Structure formats: C-alpha cells, structure tokens
Amino acid sequence: MKKTILVFISLIMIFPMLIVLLLSMFSYYRFPLILPQHFTNTFWKTAVVENPLFVSSLANSIVLATCNGICSTVVGIMTARALVRHEFMGKRVVRMFFTLPLFIPAMALFLGVHSVMIRLQLMNHCSGIILAHMLISVPYGINIFISFFQGINRDMEDVGKTLGCTPITLFSRIVLPLIMPGIYLSFSISFLISFTEYFSTFLIGGGNIITFSTMMYPYVHNGDLGNGAVLGIIFISINVGIFYLTEYLSRKKLKIDSYLFE
Amino acid sequence: MKIDLQNITKQYGETMILDGVSIQVKQGRLLSILGYSGAGKTTILKIISGLVKQDEGRVMINGIDISGCPVEKRNIGYVFQSPLLFPHMTVEENIRFGLEIKKWDSARTQARIAQLLELLQIEGLEKRMPSMISGGQQQRVAIARALAPEPEILLMDEPFSSLDPTLRYEMGELIKEIQEKCKLTIVFVTHDRNESLALSHEIAILIDGKIAQIDNPKNIYYRPVNKAVARFMGSCNFIPGKIEAGTFYSSIGALKTDEEDGDKTLFIRPEQIRIDAEGKGFIIKSCKSIGKEVIYTIGTENLNLTVETLGYEIFFVGQQVGLLFPQDGLYFMTGA
Amino acid sequence: MAHKKIIPYLLILPIVLLYGVFIGGGLVGIIQESLGHIPILGLKGFTIEYYSTAISQNYFLKSLLYSIYIAFTAAVIATVLGVVIAYAFVTCENEMVQRVVKRALQFGLIIPYLYGVFLAMILFNQTGFFARIAYSVGAIGEPASFPELIFDRKAVGIIWVFVFKGTPFVSLFVMNVMGRIGNTYGDVAKSLGSGSLTILRKIYIPLASNSIVWASSIIFAYALGSFEVNYLLTSISPVPLSAKLYSLFIHPDLTVIPQTMALSVILFIIGGSVVGLYSVLLSFLLKGRI
C-alpha cells in the first residue's frame, strides 16, 4: 500500500518532464493528439544554436550562481559559527530573524531591495543581483551549518588546542574538513536558488544582465512549447548535474558523518 | 614540584565551582582527583591545560607561573572522556597530528609514531579510520595522540568511563606501565574510587569545590579527615565514644588505644571487623550477599554496624554473635 | 582577552549588514516612498493618503483575500501530502522504492518555478494534455468544454504549481527529521501496539512539528508573494496581490509609484503577519499548544 502510493507519487513528479522531453523533439502536436509526432531537431537549433543569448545568458547564470554559492556559504558558516559557539549581545535576535527573508512575501521584499539598490547604485550590476540572491539563500546555509557545528563535539576542538593548534590551524585542519559536506550542500543549494531565481534577477538586473531564467521567461510567457521545452530540459539537466556532483562529493565524506552525528 | 596549583578559584555565573583549590603533584607521580560528578574535577584539568582560565590563583609548572600562556604553547597532553578522534583522519594521521603542528621532521615523527603504536599495543591499526575500530582501541589511539608530542604532563579526564569493567582494568594497568616508562606526571580525574585507589600515588578528594583531603591511597581509605571523605571512599562505621586513660569506651565495649583522652569517634571499615560465631552481645539484623562478599548489618539496641565478610562464613538473621575489632591501628576522629 | 570578545560580532557582521541594509533599508525606502516622499519626482512631504487610496481601490480586498486563498490552499495541500509522503517513506521498508522516491522528490525540488508554470500550461490548458486525454476517452467533445483550470478564478493552475513544487520541499525536509525520530522511537511505538495512523498522529507529527511548521510556512509565504507563478497564470479578475502589485510597478504613469509602494508596504506587513499567523495556527494545531 505504502509502496504503491510512493511509486505513484514518483511517477507524478517525473511524468510532466517526459511530455516536455517529447515536445522538444517532435513538432506536430495538434489537438487531440495525446503525444506529439514528427521527429525534428529544429527546436534545438532555434533555442540553442541560433539563439544569440544562449551562451551569454548561461555564462551569466553560472557566474552569478557560483558567486552566490560562495558568498552565501561563507556568510552561513560565519553566522552559524557565532550562533553555535559564541555568546554575544543580540544572539537571540539573530537566531530568531535569520530566516526572516524566507517569510516575507518575495514581491514586497524585493521591491524594498530594489529601492535600496537604486540608492546604492547597484542596479544593473552583478553584485546587486548576488546580494539580492544571498538574501534568500543565506538562511538555508545558516541552517545547514548550525546543524553541522552542533554535530562537532566542542571537546574535539579542545583536543586540537591541547595538541598545539592555533585558532587558524584549528579551523583549517579540523573544523573545515568536518563541515566539508555541509559546504558542498550549502553551495549547491545557494547555486540552485540563484540559478532558478527569476524575479529578483530581472528586477535588479534590469534589461542589462540576462540570465538563463530571464532569457527563458518570454518562451514561457508566450507558450512557445517547442523552444521552451528545449530550454527547460537544458535548465533542469544543469540542476540535476549540480545536484549529483554535490551528492557524489559529500558521499565520499559520509563515513565521517555517521561518526560525527552518532 | 612539577604542578603547583595555588588557590585556584573559578565561578560559572553564580555557582562557585572551585573555591581556593591548591594541589601539588611531584615529578613522575600519578595524582587522581576524585569527586562526585559535577564537582568541578574537569574544570581543574581544563585550568591546568589552559582551556579554561581561572578567576583567581596561579598555575605553576616547574616553578614558573604559566597562567598567561595560551593552551597551544603549554605542551600538556590531554585525554578526554570520549576518544574524540578526528573522524576525517586515519589512526596514524591522528597520532601524527600534534607532531605536524609542532613541525617535527619526518624521520623523528616516524620513529615516534612507531614507538607509540608499540607502547599502546595498537600496531596494525595505523591505516584504519576511527569509525572502524573498537571503543577501547579508540581510547588507546587518543592516548597515543596526546603522548605524541612528548608532553611531560598528561591530564586524563575519566578516560575509561565508557569502557566495560575488564577493559578498564587492563587500561589502568597500561597507564601505570606507560607512566613508569615515560616518567610522566599524570593528573587523572575519576569518580570511580576503586580505579583511583588502584592507580594513584596520591588522591585528592574534591568536595563542594574544595580539596577535602590530599594524601596517599592508604591514608585516604583508612584515615579520612572527615565523615564526608570517609563515606565517599566506601561504606563505613562511626562509633561515638570517649577515651579515658588509654581505653575507648563506647556501646560496643572497651578497646585499648594510645590516643589522647576526650570525646572521639571510632572510624572503622566494614571489612576490618570480624564476626565471632561463639561470641555474644550483637544480633545479625540483615544479610545481603553480593557474590564474593556478604554484607551484614549487625547491631545492638542503639547502634547498627556494617560488616563485610567473605562468602563462606554464613550467619543467619537473628543469630547472636560477637564482633572482633583490630587491636592496633584504630583511627579516631575528634568529636562525637 | 578583549579581542576574543570581538570575534562573534565580526562573525555576524556580514549578515547584520546584509539584512539591515537590504531588508531594513528596503522597508524604510518603500515606506518613505509610500508616504509620498520621492524628491526625484518632485514629491516632498509626508502623507498617508496613498494608503487610503490603495486600500479603497475595489480590487484591494479581493486581491488580498484571493492571494491568501491561493497561499493557504497550496500550503495546506502541500503540507498534508508532504507529511504523508515523508511518513510513508520513513516507514516503508523497501530500499529500492525509497531510493526512487527520494530521487523523484529531489527532481521536483530542483525544477524552477518558472518552469512549473510551463508545465502547468502543457498539462492543464484547454488544449493541454489532460484535455486531450478527456477528449480521447470521450468525456469532452471539444477543447472549450474542458474546464478552465488555468487563468481561472479558482486558480487551480497556480495552486497546482505551488503544490507540485512545495510537496517535495516539505516531504524532503520532514523526512530527515522523521528518519531520526524513527530510529529512536519507531520501535518503541510499534511495541506499544498502536496502529500506523496513531503512530503518525501521536509520535511523528508532534515530534516533527517544528520542521513541518517551518517548511509549510515557507511554502505559504512563497505562494503569497511569488511573482512569476501568480503573474503568468492569473485570471483576469480577481488578480493575486503580488501580480497586481507588479502591474502597478511597471505602470508608465510615475504618479502611481507612491500608491504602488503603499501596496508593497501593506504586502510586506500584512503578508508577514499572515505568514506569522499561519505558522502559529499550524503549530497550535500540531502540538495542541503554542
């Protein structure tokens, strides 16, 4: 019973993408055909090869997402470290509010961010987009590292000190390797958030910085099935690739994990 | 004097954890600190190592005040309650870690690691990850790691409390052996009095943030300074009475002694008393067998004594018996 | 020792700056503009008339309620489905199935919302996949007789996207927590002989309630304030508040800016409060206390 439900759910999740896959390769889809017919590669040509924005938007997206991944991870580590290991004034406030951006309706949040960006003259700048994306990815990063730091026995760091570690060697030789899986995870989540984010990218980037999602928007808006399908498949394949890469990298560390959190 | 703690005071918030603690440990001796859990034993070790800073008092090592010296420069080995091996390193890398930090050259490092592997009897485990070896082996590796940079002082915080009893005994023996071989000065924290009695040259009893007594194991056991220490070291009997002209008078009768006159309390351990089947004057009130020993409560109308005998001497509840007290070496506490 | 005390403050400096400048500063910025103080447009001085204008528009209440309806429905469906899937996953003893399901859910999680809109169009359009199925089994005679599922007042399309994206999020998140609960208490519960549903209700849900509330509230907030889904799949009337806000925002007439900002402040504050209310209610429901 449970198995049937679970398998059924999986099919529901996967099935729309199967139709999309077909739509990207078959051009003839008149009502009431259930599945499209007439194999073609035109969509791949028009959406990828003949699309002047394809390469540049993809490159923009990857650069922005990578920067966001790095920045959010670093801020996540710093904040989580302070929350788990240090006492300071306002700790409760930080602990309560670090997830705030996720709970503010995105439109209102980003219209505010937009007004600040204008004042700081960060409109149409990559740095502005990265900062906006960080707002919605940092909370996830902090959450990840809070659980990682809590998983490291405080005494483990004391052991390092008694063996002669300075704070810097302690961090690089012991703490960093232990939170490595968290770094992969936080990086990939932040990467994906930035990569798939449409509204803030478009709002802050204006017409100037075209990313993969803003490039795809008109195709969705106009209901361009064939080209939209092609772009979507590429989009999602990249996401899946990132996801697998992360999982592969952190699986190598899995043995540590099970020891750490026992 | 190797380690000399002078008047150490430490407070966490409102709670006074250590209140004027002074401990001296001589070069090459093993001192254990014994106390109830939460008594601040670990805090003492952390202060010696520098992980925690005392509020007042001085930590002297070899006659030099090291209170201002950071942990990483002290070169004091520390073995924690759990092995806390670095999970991302193999056994060998764990042991090597401290040497790398101290920038030992590779030949010396190799030799030291080989020596430690042999000393701790963990040869063959070098390439294993910590998660792949047993708890006892993990603790051996932890000791090897702490010993690697050749510290002169080793601090051990209940290092065997997670091991099963046979393994504990074995590890205790190993520590004694290493201590003698390496001429280490060890401070060992435990709440297990048997472990402490078996291993230590000196024992310091920590009660309510103060050192109640610091002495050799025999004196701690048979000549405790007060009732709290006496009870901490095991079950015991206190018999109030009076000494007049070389004789102790109490409800158990008269005993010869050369102590001074006055109101005194006789302190005596259950196993120091023997039961005389032919005697009279005492009644067996209850009897509990714990394997090798039998514990009796034997009393008169207004006094109950705990007596331990070996299992083959069987007496039944209600039986009239006599008690035999040792003739010399009786220990009296002042007051009633 | 003084430098040690500074360390935590240095560590939280980036996040405080980030949030302070962009969330705090953003709120101040839009409040200022909503009060009619926009020097660049020659508007100076402060007034609350734009708020009364914004609120008195006849679409306002409708849009707000419509948005809340969409967010609430989507969040509740996604949460229920997500929790049930997570529970079925944790208690299902077939590793093969677990692997497949986890992959499928992860797959759902990484599909962009924008693309969710695309999928909704393909599936629910009057000439979409389901319409074709209905036609081929003879349920409908022509595309127009297939019920309008997207661009419709009931917002089936919008809700579907949020559920499609929200369910994997909730279930993956809750799955982690439930997995840990299962290791600790699962066998105890089973040995006490309670039925499958009772274990879910009495053990798993209360113990996982924090994460359920957290995940569910995020879905709720997202559905309330998302642009692309609401805007692309909306009906003509009523329009979700965020879509309405966007049409005002891109309005060529610059004099509507204060009103836009007033609406934005209202969405910020009311939206935030509604999310807060939602999570309080949900945790009350799950734990029986706040």
Side-chain angles (χ1 to χ4, degrees):
Chain A
M1 173 67 182
K2 274 177 196 157
K3 277 183 228 163
T4 329
I5 296 176
L6 288 174
V7 171
F8 184 65
I9 297 271
S10 320
L11 287 178
I12 293 180
M13 299 303 313
I14 304 288
F15 142 87
M17 281 313 290
L18 294 178
I19 299 181
V20 170
L21 192 64
L22 294 177
L23 281 178
S24 75
M25 295 186 294
F26 296 89
S27 60
Y28 185 73
Y29 194 43
R30 267 190 54 188
F31 195 84
L33 279 177
I34 288 182
L35 296 174
Q37 294 174 352
H38 300 317
F39 179 78
T40 175
N41 59 3
T42 16
F43 297 135
W44 288 85
K45 242 189 225 156
T46 51
V48 180
V49 184
E50 290 162 15
N51 184 347
L53 289 174
F54 183 82
V55 175
S56 65
S57 66
L58 191 58
N60 278 342
S61 271
I62 288 175
V63 170
L64 288 174
T66 308
C67 291
N68 180 53
I70 294 169
C71 296
S72 301
T73 302
V74 170
V75 175
I77 292 176
M78 291 172 74
T79 313
R81 178 84 193 168
L83 285 175
V84 176
R85 282 288 192 272
H86 294 274
E87 290 305 322
F88 56 91
M89 269 167 53
K91 181 170 174 170
R92 288 187 54 189
V93 180
V94 175
R95 191 180 273 284
M96 267 177 78
F97 286 106
F98 77 85
T99 48
L100 189 67
L102 301 180
F103 296 102
I104 302 172
M107 273 299 281
L109 177 73
F110 287 127
L111 286 185
V113 171
H114 178 252
S115 83
V116 179
M117 291 293 174
I118 292 173
R119 269 165 240 225
L120 297 178
Q121 303 192 317
L122 288 173
M123 285 296 291
N124 302 336
H125 270 283
C126 285
S127 51
I129 299 179
I130 293 168
L131 285 166
H133 288 177
M134 277 174 74
L135 281 176
I136 45 172
S137 26
V138 161
Y140 293 102
I142 296 176
N143 250 337
I144 290 169
F145 290 113
I146 282 181
S147 61
F148 266 87
F149 281 128
Q150 280 171 344
I152 301 176
N153 193 328
R154 209 183 181 124
D155 287 339
M156 182 94 74
E157 292 174 31
D158 283 348
V159 172
K161 287 188 204 160
T162 61
L163 290 173
C165 284
T166 59
I168 294 166
T169 47
L170 187 70
F171 190 79
S172 64
R173 294 290 309 269
I174 296 176
V175 176
L176 207 58
L178 291 180
I179 61 170
M180 214 53 204
I183 292 177
Y184 295 136
L185 192 62
S186 158
F187 177 83
S188 70
I189 287 179
S190 311
F191 186 98
L192 289 180
I193 287 174
S194 167
F195 200 69
T196 55
E197 173 67 14
Y198 167 73
F199 182 64
S200 59
T201 316
F202 155 76
L203 192 67
I204 314 292
N208 233 340
I209 297 168
I210 307 289
T211 68
F212 208 79
S213 18
T214 53
M215 186 268 284
M216 209 174 81
Y217 182 81
Y219 293 95
V220 176
H221 195 187
N222 304 333
D224 182 343
L225 296 189
N227 292 316
V230 169
L231 293 175
I233 286 169
I234 296 170
F235 203 152
I236 289 167
S237 313
I238 293 172
N239 289 359
V240 172
I242 294 287
F243 211 88
Y244 271 92
L245 186 66
T246 316
E247 210 171 57
Y248 171 75
L249 288 173
S250 31
R251 182 161 298 162
K252 292 207 319 210
K253 299 269 177 186
L254 207 64
K255 284 206 184 88
I256 297 175
D257 244 34
S258 56
Y259 181 85
L260 210 58
F261 291 102
E262 74 192 352
Chain B
M1 205 58 69
K2 192 69 187 173
I3 306 174
D4 186 4
L5 301 182
Q6 302 176 348
N7 262 315
I8 300 288
T9 303
K10 180 73 194 172
Q11 223 169 335
Y12 282 123
E14 291 294 292
T15 349
M16 191 64 122
I17 297 289
L18 299 177
D19 183 5
V21 167
S22 297
I23 296 175
Q24 284 92 34
V25 193
K26 291 197 193 79
Q27 162 71 41
R29 306 284 279 185
L30 194 156
L31 173 118
S32 59
I33 302 174
L34 199 51
Y36 297 103
S37 30
K41 305 182 299 268
T42 302
T43 310
I44 297 182
L45 292 194
K46 291 205 166 168
I47 287 173
I48 300 176
S49 70
L51 289 167
V52 166
K53 196 162 169 26
Q54 70 273 24
D55 296 337
E56 281 164 47
R58 293 199 296 175
V59 181
M60 315 277 285
I61 306 258
N62 292 331
I64 301 162
D65 186 356
I66 59 156
S67 304
C69 176
V71 198
E72 60 266 21
K73 300 226 170 76
R74 291 195 184 184
N75 200 19
I76 294 176
Y78 198 138
V79 178
F80 290 73
Q81 198 163 0
S82 49
L84 294 168
L85 298 182
F86 302 130
H88 56 298
M89 301 180 191
T90 63
V91 165
E92 190 185 342
E93 284 164 342
N94 263 286
I95 301 174
R96 184 200 304 268
F97 185 79
L99 304 179
E100 264 176 55
I101 296 293
K102 298 232 154 62
K103 302 201 166 60
W104 282 32
D105 64 58
S106 72
R108 199 169 155 221
T109 305
Q110 279 315 327
R112 181 66 180 154
I113 292 174
Q115 190 188 357
L116 286 165
L117 289 171
E118 195 206 326
L119 191 64
L120 274 302
Q121 298 152 24
I122 43 174
E123 298 106 322
L125 301 178
E126 300 93 306
K127 300 283 174 252
R128 304 264 193 101
M129 294 305 274
S131 50
M132 293 162 67
I133 59 179
S134 71
Q137 289 169 333
Q138 286 183 14
Q139 197 55 278
R140 283 166 193 254
V141 176
I143 295 170
R145 179 179 64 182
L147 288 177
E150 297 183 336
E152 292 175 352
I153 296 171
L154 183 66
L155 309 175
M156 306 186 93
D157 186 0
E158 309 210 18
F160 312 137
S161 59
S162 55
L163 306 180
D164 60 53
T166 16
L167 212 50
R168 273 175 97 130
Y169 176 75
E170 208 176 285
M171 290 296 279
E173 292 300 302
L174 183 64
I175 285 301
K176 254 179 142 168
E177 189 189 317
I178 291 171
Q179 196 253 342
E180 277 156 26
K181 260 192 204 162
C182 308
K183 309 212 164 29
L184 278 171
T185 308
I186 298 183
V187 180
F188 188 98
V189 153
T190 178
H191 64 260
D192 180 336
R193 52 177 187 254
N194 294 328
E195 191 171 73
S196 159
L197 288 168
L199 289 180
S200 326
H201 296 115
E202 274 98 31
I203 297 177
I205 308 283
L206 184 69
I207 295 174
D208 293 333
K210 294 191 171 84
I211 299 293
Q213 188 172 3
I214 178 164
D215 210 332
N216 64 42
K218 198 178 165 200
N219 281 348
I220 293 273
Y221 191 69
Y222 288 113
R223 308 181 77 83
V225 290
N226 57 34
K227 290 186 179 177
V229 174
R231 288 203 185 95
F232 188 84
M233 294 310 294
S235 54
C236 47
N237 297 302
F238 301 107
I239 304 159
K242 194 189 256 178
I243 298 179
E244 270 172 18
T247 310
F248 176 71
Y249 297 100
S250 73
S251 51
I252 59 162
L255 292 169
K256 282 247 175 298
T257 173
D258 40 19
E259 290 274 324
E260 285 169 28
D261 289 6
D263 285 339
K264 301 271 176 166
T265 300
L266 172 64
F267 163 81
I268 194 157
R269 292 280 176 202
E271 67 275 17
Q272 289 177 288
I273 307 175
R274 291 189 45 216
I275 303 175
D276 175 14
E278 262 87 71
K280 278 210 164 64
F282 297 94
I283 298 169
I284 307 267
K285 290 186 174 170
S286 76
C287 149
K288 184 170 68 178
S289 172
I290 53 162
K292 201 164 66 180
E293 289 102 23
V294 186
I295 299 170
Y296 294 100
T297 308
I298 303 179
T300 59
E301 268 157 37
N302 46 18
L303 184 78
N304 282 330
L305 297 176
T306 308
V307 179
E308 253 179 65
T309 67
L310 289 174
Y312 54 81
E313 291 182 81
I314 306 297
F315 303 93
F316 53 88
V317 175
Q319 189 177 351
Q320 285 265 351
V321 291
L323 292 181
L324 300 174
F325 293 89
Q327 291 307 302
D328 50 356
L330 289 176
Y331 176 63
F332 294 96
M333 293 173 170
T334 313
Chain C
M1 293 307 272
H3 71 279
K4 281 219 164 137
K5 292 233 166 83
I6 301 175
I7 290 174
Y9 297 100
L10 289 178
L11 287 175
I12 58 162
L13 188 65
I15 190 137
V16 170
L17 277 180
L18 186 71
Y19 284 17
V21 171
F22 291 105
I23 302 179
L27 186 59
V28 170
I30 55 177
I31 287 177
Q32 191 188 336
E33 289 178 21
S34 71
L35 293 171
H37 185 82
I38 313 174
I40 215 167
L41 296 181
L43 288 173
K44 282 183 184 167
F46 295 94
T47 163
I48 57 160
E49 70 177 277
Y50 298 108
Y51 281 91
S52 41
T53 324
I55 292 172
S56 63
Q57 301 284 348
N58 53 10
Y59 62 76
F60 172 74
L61 197 62
K62 259 197 238 165
S63 286
L64 180 66
L65 292 177
Y66 190 52
S67 275
I68 293 176
Y69 151 75
I70 291 173
F72 185 77
T73 318
V76 168
I77 296 176
T79 308
V80 171
L81 284 177
V83 170
V84 169
I85 293 171
Y87 178 65
F89 178 90
V90 170
T91 49
C92 161
E93 265 136 30
N94 188 328
E95 246 182 74
M96 223 358 236
V97 174
Q98 283 184 328
R99 273 232 294 282
V100 172
V101 175
K102 199 155 192 179
R103 285 273 170 264
L105 291 172
Q106 286 168 342
F107 185 72
L109 192 69
I110 58 181
I111 293 178
Y113 275 94
L114 186 59
Y115 213 65
V117 174
F118 188 73
L119 296 181
M121 287 174 171
I122 293 174
L123 295 176
F124 297 106
N125 218 323
Q126 279 182 322
T127 59
F129 185 77
F130 290 121
R132 290 163 197 247
I133 297 264
Y135 181 87
S136 67
V137 299
I140 56 166
E142 49 171 355
S145 50
F146 189 73
E148 275 214 58
L149 294 176
I150 50 177
F151 314 121
D152 170 58
R153 295 176 62 91
K154 292 202 192 71
V156 177
I158 302 181
I159 292 172
W160 178 81
V161 176
F162 289 131
V163 170
F164 182 72
K165 289 283 298 148
T167 306
F169 179 77
V170 175
S171 61
L172 283 171
F173 196 76
V174 173
M175 202 178 273
N176 266 330
V177 182
M178 282 193 172
R180 248 173 282 150
I181 296 169
N183 289 338
T184 331
Y185 302 105
D187 290 339
V188 182
K190 252 186 240 161
S191 69
L192 293 174
S194 34
S196 194
L197 207 62
T198 324
I199 296 178
L200 173 65
R201 229 159 38 89
K202 295 276 177 183
I203 312 269
Y204 282 89
I205 290 184
L207 286 174
S209 59
N210 280 338
S211 4
I212 298 175
V213 171
W214 199 78
S216 181
S217 306
I218 287 178
I219 302 296
F220 184 88
Y222 197 87
L224 200 60
S226 140
F227 162 72
E228 54 262 48
V229 185
N230 283 324
Y231 187 74
L232 286 171
L233 291 177
T234 179
S235 63
I236 294 163
S237 165
V239 177
L241 202 57
S242 56
K244 186 70 207 170
L245 185 54
Y246 184 71
S247 355
L248 277 176
F249 181 72
I250 54 170
H251 204 286
D253 181 1
L254 291 178
T255 53
V256 300
I257 287 183
Q259 198 197 322
T260 313
M261 290 306 157
L263 203 60
S264 183
V265 173
I266 293 170
L267 181 62
F268 196 114
I269 289 167
I270 295 191
S273 329
V274 172
V275 176
L277 189 68
Y278 174 79
S279 47
V280 168
L281 282 179
L282 189 60
S283 62
F284 186 75
L285 189 74
L286 294 185
K287 290 186 209 168
R289 67 194 148 79
I290 299 174

